Amino acid sequence: MSEVLANLLYSKEHEWVRIVDEHRIVVGITDFAQAQLGDIVFIELPELGNAVAVEESMGSVESVKAVSDIYSPVNGKVVKINQTLESAPEQINAEPYSTGWIVEVEISGKDALAHLLTPEQYGSLIGAGE
């Protein structure tokens, strides 16, 4: 069963969001997503300073099964990237909610997080607990 953490928000595209402060969030892919992908062997990270837009690709993850886009859950600018993933992408499989984080984004707009799912809503989306 996939882990859904109570202190995070989620996108329908299977990214998680941890709020750092009112201007910044950390983004990664969910436990459900990494399990669906299988062993991750490569990640294409966005460039530092890149503008990102809701539901647009900001990078990709390559696994032994497939290549999948990483979609931005918000509008904003990439202010930090997890460079450890370039040499150890398997961290996404091992610890998707901690060392497997992907980027930190400075968000644009006061309602930037309003469309994201609660843990309960995301759990229902993926059928967690069934």
Side-chain angles (χ1 to χ4, degrees), residues 6 12 22 32 34 39-40 46 51 55 63-64 69 71-73 75 83 91 96 100 103 111 113-114 117 129:
K12 291 178 182 168
E22 63 183 275
F32 176 82
Q34 70 79 23
D39 293 336
I40 294 172
E55 297 180 2
S63 72
V64 293
D69 284 325
Y71 294 98
S72 179
N75 293 321
Q83 293 181 316
Q91 283 300 307
V103 295
D111 296 327
L113 306 177
L117 305 174

Side-chain angles (χ1 to χ4, degrees), residues 10-11 13 19 25 34 37 43 49 58 68 70 75 81 83 85 91-92 94-95 103-105 109 119 124-125 127-128:
Y10 299 87
S11 74
E13 291 77 28
I19 299 169
I25 60 166
Q34 70 79 23
L37 285 166
I43 185 165
M58 64 176 178
S68 183
I70 303 164
N75 293 321
I81 57 172
Q83 293 181 316
L85 297 179
Q91 283 300 307
I92 296 171
E95 297 291 338
V103 295
E104 188 170 312
V105 176
S124 292
L125 177 74

